[in-house]
Each structure stands twice: as structure tokens, then as C-alpha cells.
């Protein structure tokens, strides 16, 4: 026992632990890929609140290489589409930085990046993210109000043009009243004529009886004399009335003329439309598009800011509690992307466009870097589009800038305004587009310039719009050959505001207002002409009826007139009245023969 | 199961009555002292712990030292921070610190932390006095204490249980 040399190392303890370390190394080698894949998917899902899928992942810790194949990140707001998807991501990490517990992407490539691509399966997570709320965009009330105003104007014009104002015109009403009055008058005249005729016959009968028996009827002669006088006077009055009928027509015509004047004034008032507000129209036509894009951009910036601030706070929280870590003047962020090449496809103005560029300076602690984060992209092909996004979070106040310039951006045809109300279709063409957007803290400022020449505008077919109005709008829009717009951005990230300065609204408003005024005048004149024509026809019929009645009544009265004239002749013989012999001779010559 | 609950008491008795030499007890105590002083959560503290367990030193003495000096270490933190700051910012050593930091050795070992470096210096400074004290304490106290303790049946029983455990006859 005394010769036995005891080793200072407890191999019984060390050996199993060495074995364990070797096992851990093996596990790290073979389990690294699944672990990093799980890390990418989990952190991605936590960040977006939607499914993140990864087809393949390869890591090489010694080389510091990370390759991701077919990465799909679902859109939490639209689960059947991907927020973005990437065919291949090849990143070269700094292995030494990994030993410092930092992830530094020295360089890399992102190929086949596409946005908003349809998914075959839902991208919703099993536990829905309650933080994702669909809130109405802030500028929505602004253009909604403008849209309502413009569509109200259009509805009002359409309604008035469609309205049957003939029912409200006074000329047809006056004409109708005259016809009714004439009907009553003609009935009265006809009735009085018939009564007179009847009474004439009765008088003749009474005189005939007196002639048969003169002695018995003599005492009734004074009474008949009075009745005869009365009838004679009524006959004269009736004849005067009938003869005055043409004069009455003149009065009727005057009444109709004054009614027509009132109608003209009424129609002028009805078709005098207010001038369409040009600024309002600009808001209607361009406001919705601008508001949607602006709100999208602000939402994205807010989302990115929210995520980046949480990373920084986590980094600060990770500091050691005992002592101070000395970094020897090399304070570096936990996560950094130095330079990554990007190749992506994105829809711009309705066209799928390919871009190449680079992403640099992305970091979890931007204040430690000299340069701000940058994304610079240039379009491939014939379209000379360049975009630069700068995100500077190095100072206390974060700043974002977006610069986009394209002298000839192709536009597919699209609709401006609300297709349900007032909208115009913009034909395909190309336009110059410049975007300069700046966000300092929460204060938003910037400008968007849009200039499209040789453009074609046409009104959108809408069943609500009057067909005459649609044709007028077509003519008015045809006169506009250029659209220029300048959008001034203001407000904050939470409630962005914008003002669109564009002559298109005023141009359209002038063209439409003039055309609509002309249409209104034409419509008024047509209505008045229609009413006058109807009135003339009625008046002609009325006059003809009057002439016919006059002839009819005068002819009808002719027979009685003879009796009354004969009887009047008798009456004119003396103040003593009619003597029986005279009666007999008079009646014997005339009416008594019948 | 009983071994699990009796283990701490056994270890205390073992520290006193084990067959380890005073040298082994002293080295165990010194290593325990370094572990206690050092902030945990870095590779240096883990390496010291592994050394304590892997080397043939008195483990109970090491555990006692670690427990004792953990409290002392917290009290010495301000002093350790000052010493560490001085050392880490000392110009002649700056290049060495820089290269160690660049090669990621110092961050993992915690050698870029002021308190770690300060406590390491304090621990190095205390090695000799601690060893000397522990060695003398063990040499003088261990034998009489063992005799005195062995009079108690419970200690004999505990010692027997410890031996039984070591020989694989745990009940």
C-alpha cells in the first residue's frame, strides 16, 4: 500500500465528465441545425404573431455560415398570404463574435425576396395575437368626408337632371285650370241655352193656347209679357257672353305667358348647380390612395421601431450585475448586420419589379455604430427606379428617411376615387414619381411628387350616375391630358396628415361644372319647350272648342232668337200690352204655324 | 435515500475525521475560498469548481471555504472593483487584455470584468495565508478532534456509513 502512488487527479470523477463533454460536443454538432431552426421559427413567430416556416437550414459554426432555404413569414393581418418569403438566405457570420455572444453578419445574400404572396394554407397561429387590431386608418375620415361631399354633389346633379320637373311647372297647371274652367263655362252656357230654348218653346205654347181661347187667356198676357222681357234680356246677355269668348282667350293667353315666365325662372334655379370644389375633388380622386399608402408606411415604421426598442432594452437588461465589463473601447452591439446583398421582387404601381441592392448597418444597439442603417435598392431592367431608406436610431431621437425617385415609372390603369360613388379610370401610362419622407421622432414631414403626361381619364361606368351626366363627364375628362400632384406630409406617426396640391381637381371641377351647367341649361330649355308645346296644343284645342261652342250655341239660340224677336216686336207695339187680335195675326205669321 | 439526507453531516464529519492529509485539506480550503470570492456565471468560476471536484483535495473543506468566502466576497466587491479597474486600465497590460478580449477568452472567463479580476487578485493574494492557516489548523486540530469525535457512536456510525457509501454498500 505504501508503494501505491495516488494520482492527484480523481479520474473516477474526471473521466465521466470528459465523456459528457464529448457527448455535448457531438450534440452541438448534430443538434445545432434543428436548434437554430427552432430559434428562427420561434423568434419569428413571436415577432410577427403569425406562422413562420422554414424548409431547410444549414449551419457551420467553424465557417460561420448560415443558410436558410424557402423561408415563409405569414401576414398576421391576412393569414392567407405571406408577409414576405425568401428563396434562399446565405449569411456569413463572424465566428469570433459568436464567442463574444454576439451575432454579426459580415456579409450575405438574400435571394428571391417577395412580398405579399398568396399561401396555400392559413398562416394563423393557433393562439391568435390579441395585439393585432384592425383599426381604421387615421386619415380615413378626411377623404371619406371629401368623398361624401363630391358624391353628394354628383347625386344632387343626377337627381335634378333625372327629376320630372314638368309636374312642378306652372304653365301646364294653368293650362289645365283653364281647360277645366272652360269645361264648366261651356256646360253652363250650354245649359242656359237649352233652358232658354225650353222657355221659348213654353212661351210659344202658352201663346198658342191664348190664341185658341183669346178671351180666357187675355188676362195672362201681362204675365207672359214680363216673362218674355226677362227671357229676351237673358238671351241678349247669353249672346253677349258667347260673343265675348274670343276676348277671354286673350286673357287666358296672358295668364299662360306669365306662368311660363315663372317656369323659366324656376327651371333656371333648379339647374343652377354650385361650382364643384376643386380641392375637394382632388381629395376624392387621390386622397384614398395616398392615405392608404401613407398609413401602411407609418404602420411599418411603428412596427419596426417597436421591435428594435425592445431589443435594445433586452440588451441593457443583460448587463452583468456585479462589476463592470470593460470592452477596451470596443462596445459593440449584440446583433449587427454589416452588409447583406438583397435581390427582391416587389409590386410597384401594379407591376412586378425586380430590385437589387444592399442592407447595411442594422443593429440591436445603433448608438454603437458610426453609420445609420441603410437599405438601398435599384430596379433591374428599363425602369430607372432608385430607393434609399435610412434609419438612424443612434441619437436620442430616432429618424427615418425614405427617398424614391423614378423619372418614368410605368403605371397600369387604375381607379381613382370610390367606384361606388365618384371615380375615374386612369389609363395605363408612365409617370415621374419622387418621394421624400422624413420622420424625426414622431414628427412626420415630406413630399411626394407625381407627374403623368399623355394620360387618359375616363369616368367609371356607374349605374347611379345619370347617363347624360356620364357622357358630359366623359367629355370633360377627355380635355385633361396631364396629372400633376404634390402631396405635403405632416402630422405624427400615429396620426399622419397630408395635403394634396394638384390642379387636376380644379381642372376637373371647372370642366365638369361648365359641362353640367350647359347640360342643365339644355335640360331646362327642353323641359320648357316640352311644356310650351303641350300648352300650345291645349290652347289650340281650347280655342277651337270655343269657336265650335260659339257656333253651336249661336245656332242653337237662333231659333229662340226668332221667337223672342217676334215676341219683342209685339211687345214694341205699345205700352198697353198685347191685344188678342194682334197676337193672333203675329203668331199666325210666325211661330204659331208650327 | 438516507444517504442523501445524511450526506451533508457526513461530509462535515469527513472533513474533520477523514484520512486526508492537512495539505489536502488546505488545498481544498484554498480552492473553495477562490470559488467563494469569485462572481459566479463565468467560465473561471466553473473551472475552479471543476478543479475542486477533480483534484484529490479535501472536498468538504473546499465547500466550507466556498460557503464562507461567498459572503466575504460580496463585502469585498467595492475593493475588488477598484483593483480590477486599475488592472484592466493599466497601460502595460492593455495590449494583453485587448488581445485576450479579441480572442473571446477573457469574456468567457470573465477576465474583462472588474470584480472578477479584483477578486482573482484578492484570491491569489490570500492563497498563501489561507493555505498556511488551513494547513496548520488541520495539522493541529485534525488528530485530537478525530479522537474526540470518534468517541461518539453517532460519528462512528456516520463514518461507517461514509465508508459504506464509498465501498458501494449504501443502504
Amino acid at each position: 500500500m505504501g508503494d501505491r502512488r495516488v494520482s492527484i487527479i480523481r479520474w473516477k470523477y474526471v473521466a465521466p465528465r470528459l465523456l459528457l463533454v464529448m457527448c455535448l460536443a457531438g450534440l452541438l454538432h448534430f443538434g445545432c441545425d434543428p436548434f437554430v431552426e427552432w430559434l428562427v421559427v420561434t423568434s419569428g413567430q413571436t415577432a410577427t404573431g403569425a406562422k413562420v416556416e422554414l424548409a431547410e437550414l444549414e449551419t457551420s459554426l467553424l465557417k460561420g455560415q448560415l443558410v436558410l432555404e424557402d423561408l415563409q413569414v405569414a401576414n398576421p393581418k391576412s393569414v392567407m398570404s405571406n408577409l414576405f418569403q425568401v428563396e434562399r438566405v446565405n449569411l456569413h457570420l463572424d465566428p469570433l463574435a459568436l464567442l463574444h455572444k454576439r451575432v454579426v453578419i459580415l456579409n450575405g445574400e438574400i435571394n428571391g425576396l417577395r412580398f405579399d404572396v398568396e399561401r396555400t394554407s392559413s398562416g394563423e397561429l393557433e393562439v391568435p395575437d390579441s395585439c393585432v387590431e384592425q383599426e381604421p386608418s387615421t386619415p380615413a375620415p378626411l377623404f371619406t368626408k371629401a368623398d361624401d361631399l363630391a358624391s353628394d354633389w354628383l347625386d344632387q346633379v343626377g337627381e335634378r337632371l333625372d327629376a320630372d320637373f314638368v309636374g312642378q311647372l306652372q304653365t301646364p297647371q294653368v293650362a289645365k285650370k283653364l281647360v277645366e274652367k272652360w269645361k264648366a263655362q261651356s256646360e253652363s252656357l250650354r245649359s242656359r241655352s237649352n233652358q232658354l230654348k225650353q222657355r221659348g218653346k213654353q212661351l210659344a205654347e202658352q201663346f198658342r193656347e191664348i190664341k185658341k181661347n183669346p178671351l180666357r187667356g187675355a188676362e195672362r198676357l201681362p204675365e207672359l209679357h214680363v216673362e218674355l222681357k226677362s227671357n229676351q234680356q237673358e238671351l241678349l246677355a247669353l249672346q253677349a257672353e258667347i260673343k265675348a269668348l274670343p276676348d277671354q282667350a286673350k286673357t287666358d293667353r296672358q295668364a299662360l305667358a306669365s306662368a311660363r315666365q315663372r317656369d323659366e325662372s324656376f327651371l333656371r334655379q333648379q339647374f343652377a348647380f354650385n361650382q364643384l370644389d376643386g380641392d375637394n375633388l382632388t381629395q376624392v380622386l387621390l386622397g384614398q390612395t395616398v392615405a392608404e399608402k401613407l398609413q401602411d408606411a407609418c404602420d411599418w415604421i411603428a412596427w419596426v421601431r417597436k421591435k428594435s426598442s425592445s431589443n435594445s432594452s433586452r440588451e441593457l437588461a443583460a448587463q452583468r450585475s456585479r462589476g463592470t465589463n470593460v470592452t477596451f473601447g470596443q462596445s459593440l452591439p449584440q446583433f449587427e448586420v454589416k452588409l447583406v446583398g438583397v435581390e427582391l421582387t416587389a409590386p410597384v404601381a401594379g407591376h412586378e419589379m425586380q430590385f437589387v441592392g444592399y442592407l447595411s448597418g442594422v443593429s440591436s444597439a445603433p448608438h454603437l455604430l458610426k453609420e445609420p442603417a441603410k437599405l438601398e435598392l435599384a430596379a433591374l431592367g428599363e425602369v430607372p427606379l432608385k430607393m434609399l431608406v435610412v434609419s438612424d436610431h443612434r441619437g436620442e431621437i430616432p429618424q427615418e428617411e425614405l427617398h424614391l425617385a423614378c423619372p418614368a415609372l410605368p403605371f397600369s390603369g387604375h381607379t381613382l376615387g370610390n367606384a361606388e360613388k365618384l371615380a375615374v379610370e386612369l389609363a395605363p401610362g408612365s409617370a415621374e414619381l419622387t418621394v421624400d419622407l422624413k420622420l424625426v421622432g414622431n414628427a412626420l414631414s415630406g413630399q411626394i411628387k407625381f407627374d403623368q403626361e399623355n394620360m387618359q381619364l375616363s369616368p367609371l361606368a356607374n349605374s347611379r350616375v345619370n347617363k347624360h351626366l356620364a357622357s358630359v363627364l366623359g367629355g370633360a375628362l377627355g380635355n385633361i391630358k396631364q396629372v400633376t400632384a404634390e402631396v405635403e406630409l405632416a402630422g405624427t406617426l400615429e396620426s399622419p396628415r397630408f395635403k394634396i396640391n394638384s390642379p387636376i381637381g380644379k381642372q376637373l371641377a371647372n370642366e365638369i361644372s361648365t359641362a353640367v351647367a350647359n347640360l342643365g341649361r339644355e335640360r331646362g330649355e327642353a323641359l320648357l319647350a316640352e311644356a310650351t308645346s303641350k300648352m300650345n296644343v291645349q290652347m289650340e284645342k281650347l280655342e277651337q272648342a270655343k269657336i265650335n261652342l260659339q257656333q253651336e250655341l249661336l245656332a242653337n239660340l237662333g231659333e229662340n232668337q226668332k221667337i223672342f224677336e217676334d215676341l219683342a216686336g209685339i211687345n214694341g207695339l205699345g205700352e198697353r200690352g198685347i191685344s188678342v187680335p194682334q197676337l193672333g195675326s203675329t203668331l199666325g205669321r210666325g211661330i204659331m204655324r208650327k | 435515500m438516507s444517504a442523501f439526507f445524511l450526506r451533508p453531516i457526513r461530509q462535515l464529519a469527513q472533513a474533520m475525521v477523514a484520512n486526508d492529509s492537512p495539505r489536502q485539506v488546505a488545498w481544498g480550503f484554498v480552492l473553495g475560498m477562490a470559488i467563494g470570492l469569485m462572481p459566479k456565471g463565468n467560465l473561471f468560476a466553473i473551472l475552479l469548481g471543476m478543479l475542486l471536484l477533480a483534484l484529490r483535495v479535501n472536498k468538504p473543506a473546499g465547500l466550507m471555504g466556498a460557503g464562507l468566502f461567498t459572503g466575504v466576497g460580496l463585502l469585498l466587491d467595492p475593493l475588488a472593483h477598484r483593483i480590477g479597474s486599475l488592472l484592466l486600465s493599466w497601460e502595460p497590460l492593455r495590449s494583453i487584455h485587448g488581445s485576450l478580449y479579441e480572442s473571446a477568452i477573457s469574456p468567457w472567463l470573465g477576465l474583462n470584468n472588474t470584480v472578477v479580476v479584483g477578486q482573482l487578485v484578492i484570491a491569489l493574494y490570500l492563497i498563501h495565508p489561507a493555505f498556511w492557516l488551513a494547513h496548520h489548523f488541520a495539522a493541529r486540530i485534525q488528530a485530537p478532534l478525530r479522537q474526540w469525535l470518534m468517541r461518539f457512536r453517532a460519528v462512528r456510525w456516520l463514518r461507517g456509513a461514509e465508508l459504506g457509501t464509498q465501498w458501494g454498500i449504501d443502504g
Side-chain angles (χ1 to χ4, degrees):
Chain A
M1 191 147 171
D3 295 341
R4 191 182 162 197
R5 193 178 174 88
V6 179
S7 171
I8 194 167
I9 298 170
R10 288 176 177 152
W11 288 111
K12 198 178 163 189
Y13 171 85
V14 173
R17 275 147 190 88
L18 274 176
L19 198 65
L20 186 70
V21 168
M22 285 166 71
C23 287
L24 279 173
L27 191 69
L28 188 70
H29 181 71
F30 295 107
C32 186
D33 287 2
F35 175 71
V36 177
E37 186 175 338
W38 172 83
L39 203 67
V40 169
V41 170
T42 311
S43 55
Q45 289 184 165
T46 309
T48 59
K51 263 187 191 172
V52 173
E53 289 160 327
L54 186 57
E56 201 178 328
L57 183 139
E58 281 178 42
T59 52
S60 169
L61 289 176
L62 290 175
K63 290 180 188 171
Q65 195 172 27
L66 177 67
V67 180
L68 291 87
E69 300 268 359
D70 195 14
L71 172 69
Q72 294 189 27
V73 179
N75 189 341
K77 291 180 179 175
S78 168
V79 290
M80 289 311 289
S81 66
N82 283 330
L83 197 64
F84 66 87
Q85 66 181 48
V86 191
E87 283 174 16
R88 184 182 163 87
V89 180
N90 187 358
L91 302 174
H92 294 278
L93 308 177
D94 184 357
L96 204 61
L98 285 174
L99 289 174
H100 281 266
K101 300 176 217 166
R102 291 172 55 231
V103 178
V104 177
I105 298 167
L106 295 171
N107 55 61
E109 296 149 17
I110 299 174
N111 297 108
L113 177 63
R114 297 171 77 90
F115 297 94
D116 202 23
V117 182
E118 290 293 315
R119 287 175 61 93
T120 49
S121 61
S122 171
E124 191 177 12
L125 287 175
E126 284 179 11
V127 181
D129 188 0
S130 58
C131 297
V132 179
E133 290 175 2
Q134 295 283 350
E135 291 177 356
S137 59
T138 316
L142 181 70
F143 70 75
T144 305
K145 192 182 172 188
D147 198 7
D148 287 346
L149 286 171
S151 63
D152 286 351
W153 185 89
L154 199 68
D155 286 348
Q156 197 185 12
V157 169
E159 277 171 20
R160 284 203 206 166
L161 289 171
D162 280 339
D164 187 10
F165 286 115
V166 177
Q168 294 179 48
L169 294 181
Q170 289 191 8
T171 313
Q173 288 175 14
V174 170
K176 193 179 171 187
K177 277 181 190 170
L178 288 175
V179 169
E180 284 169 1
K181 184 184 158 190
W182 167 243
K183 274 184 186 170
Q185 194 181 4
S186 65
E187 284 301 314
S188 163
L189 288 171
R190 200 171 271 123
S191 165
R192 282 163 65 192
S193 165
N194 288 339
Q195 284 173 7
L196 206 59
K197 188 177 177 181
Q198 197 63 35
R199 285 206 295 272
K201 281 182 180 174
Q202 283 174 357
L203 275 174
E205 189 64 33
Q206 283 171 353
F207 277 116
R208 224 175 271 124
E209 281 179 13
I210 291 168
K211 187 186 171 186
K212 283 179 189 170
N213 195 355
L215 291 172
R216 206 182 290 171
E219 55 191 25
R220 286 179 60 203
L221 277 173
E223 189 188 336
L224 288 174
H225 176 71
V226 172
E227 198 176 340
L228 180 61
K229 279 266 184 194
S230 159
N231 284 336
Q232 201 175 10
Q233 281 172 358
E234 194 177 338
L235 178 66
L236 290 170
L238 194 58
Q239 281 175 331
E241 216 171 303
I242 290 167
K243 281 174 185 167
L245 284 178
D247 295 334
Q248 194 186 351
K250 282 182 187 170
T251 317
D252 292 347
R253 278 195 175 280
Q254 279 177 355
L256 284 168
S258 58
R260 192 176 185 279
Q261 279 179 349
R262 286 197 293 277
D263 285 345
E264 276 180 16
S265 164
F266 169 73
L267 287 174
R268 213 175 292 123
Q269 198 180 344
Q270 288 301 318
F271 292 117
F273 302 112
N274 296 329
Q275 175 83 10
L276 192 56
D277 186 351
D279 290 337
N280 183 31
L281 198 59
T282 306
Q283 294 290 336
V284 171
L285 295 175
L286 303 173
Q288 188 168 0
T289 311
V290 172
E292 284 173 1
K293 304 282 181 201
L294 182 63
Q295 192 65 45
D296 275 355
C298 288
D299 287 348
W300 272 105
I301 293 169
W303 183 81
V304 170
R305 277 191 175 182
K306 192 177 162 188
K307 297 295 170 190
S308 59
S309 64
S310 64
N311 284 343
S312 300
S313 60
R314 269 203 295 273
E315 190 162 295
L316 286 172
Q319 291 289 324
R320 188 184 295 275
S321 57
R322 286 179 75 181
T324 306
N325 284 334
V326 180
T327 54
F328 305 98
Q330 300 173 38
S331 287
L332 293 166
Q334 294 294 305
F335 174 77
E336 186 186 351
V337 176
K338 286 192 184 289
L339 187 71
V340 171
V342 182
E343 181 264 308
L344 64 94
T345 308
V348 176
H351 291 276
E352 289 280 321
M353 288 176 70
Q354 264 204 312
F355 294 89
V356 287
Y358 69 88
L359 175 71
S360 68
V362 177
S363 156
S364 59
H367 62 278
L368 299 175
L369 300 184
K370 288 178 184 173
E371 293 290 323
K374 280 183 191 170
L375 172 66
E376 192 164 352
L377 294 172
L380 290 174
E382 293 175 356
V383 180
L385 191 149
K386 284 185 178 175
M387 186 174 83
L388 174 66
V389 181
V390 181
S391 175
D392 191 353
H393 286 220
R394 292 173 299 160
E396 283 187 9
I397 301 169
Q399 292 184 23
E400 271 85 17
E401 283 178 39
L402 168 71
H403 305 282
L404 188 148
C406 183
L409 183 67
F411 271 97
S412 56
H414 64 280
T415 304
L416 296 173
N418 187 342
E420 292 291 314
K421 295 180 176 178
L422 175 62
V424 291
E425 278 185 329
L426 189 63
S430 66
E432 185 180 347
L433 180 71
T434 315
V435 179
D436 291 299
L437 191 147
K438 193 167 186 181
L439 192 67
V440 180
N442 266 0
L444 179 72
S445 62
Q447 207 175 44
I448 300 171
K449 284 181 183 172
F450 178 88
D451 186 357
Q452 185 175 4
E453 288 180 3
N454 300 322
M455 56 161 290
Q456 285 184 335
L457 283 173
S458 57
L460 197 69
N462 187 344
S463 58
R464 287 180 61 190
V465 177
N466 177 289
K467 61 181 178 183
H468 297 294
L469 185 60
S471 108
V472 164
L473 285 176
L477 296 177
N479 294 333
I480 295 170
K481 300 291 180 194
Q482 184 179 13
V483 169
T484 57
E486 213 174 281
V487 184
E488 298 284 343
L489 304 172
T492 61
L493 191 61
E494 290 77 24
S495 56
R497 285 184 283 113
F498 63 89
K499 185 178 187 306
I500 304 171
N501 301 313
S502 171
I504 187 178
K506 282 182 181 166
Q507 280 177 326
L508 266 178
N510 286 337
E511 294 284 350
I512 292 174
S513 297
T514 309
V516 165
N518 290 337
L519 182 67
R521 194 174 60 247
E522 283 171 16
R523 179 85 177 124
E525 283 171 3
L527 281 172
L528 206 60
E530 186 186 343
T532 308
S533 163
K534 282 182 183 172
M535 178 200 77
N536 286 340
V537 169
Q538 276 189 326
M539 288 311 294
E540 276 175 23
K541 282 182 185 172
L542 188 65
E543 281 177 22
Q544 191 59 45
K546 280 181 181 178
I547 292 165
N548 291 343
L549 185 69
Q550 191 181 23
Q551 288 172 354
E552 180 197 332
L553 289 175
L554 288 174
N556 198 20
L557 290 173
E559 200 178 328
N560 291 347
Q561 194 177 6
K562 186 74 177 65
I563 296 169
F564 293 132
E565 279 173 1
D566 289 346
L567 292 172
I570 299 165
N571 187 37
L573 291 175
E575 290 299 318
R576 290 175 288 120
I578 304 169
S579 65
V580 175
Q582 280 177 328
L583 181 70
S585 63
T586 307
L587 292 175
R589 286 198 302 272
I591 55 173
M592 300 311 284
R593 279 189 193 127
K594 288 181 182 177
Chain B
M1 188 61 138
S2 61
F4 177 78
F5 290 107
L6 291 172
R7 196 177 183 84
I9 305 166
R10 272 207 322 257
Q11 282 183 341
L12 182 66
Q14 176 83 359
M16 296 298 109
V17 299
N19 288 325
D20 291 340
S21 65
R23 192 182 167 81
Q24 282 175 309
V25 173
W27 275 120
F29 184 78
V30 166
L31 278 173
M33 175 200 70
I35 292 167
L37 287 172
M38 203 68 69
K40 315 302 179 287
N42 56 66
L43 208 55
F44 211 96
I46 294 167
L47 282 173
L48 284 172
M50 286 176 75
L51 273 178
L52 174 67
L53 297 170
L55 296 177
R56 276 191 201 284
V57 293
N58 190 282
K59 199 164 64 173
L63 291 175
M64 276 198 301
L68 182 70
F69 278 90
T70 296
V72 176
L74 286 171
L75 294 172
L76 289 175
D77 261 3
L79 176 67
H81 173 71
R82 287 179 64 186
I83 295 168
S85 300
L86 279 170
L87 270 175
L88 287 171
S89 59
W90 193 31
E91 204 53 44
L93 288 178
R94 202 171 173 79
S95 59
I96 297 170
H97 283 308
S99 56
L100 282 174
Y101 183 83
E102 276 295 307
S103 62
I105 293 170
S106 64
W108 279 89
L109 291 175
L111 291 178
N112 65 327
N113 183 268
T114 52
V115 172
V116 173
V117 173
Q119 296 288 16
L120 183 65
V121 169
I122 291 170
L124 287 171
Y125 182 78
L126 290 177
I127 282 177
H128 185 257
F131 181 84
W132 188 83
L133 281 173
H135 189 268
H136 278 266
F137 181 82
R140 285 198 175 190
I141 301 299
Q142 200 175 18
L145 185 68
R146 185 192 304 148
Q147 282 178 2
W148 182 74
L149 283 172
M150 287 302 280
R151 290 191 307 176
F152 298 100
R153 188 177 291 175
V155 175
R156 286 203 304 276
W157 180 77
L158 280 169
R159 190 157 185 263
E162 179 66 26
L163 285 171
T165 306
Q166 284 177 4
W167 296 339
I169 49 173
D170 189 5

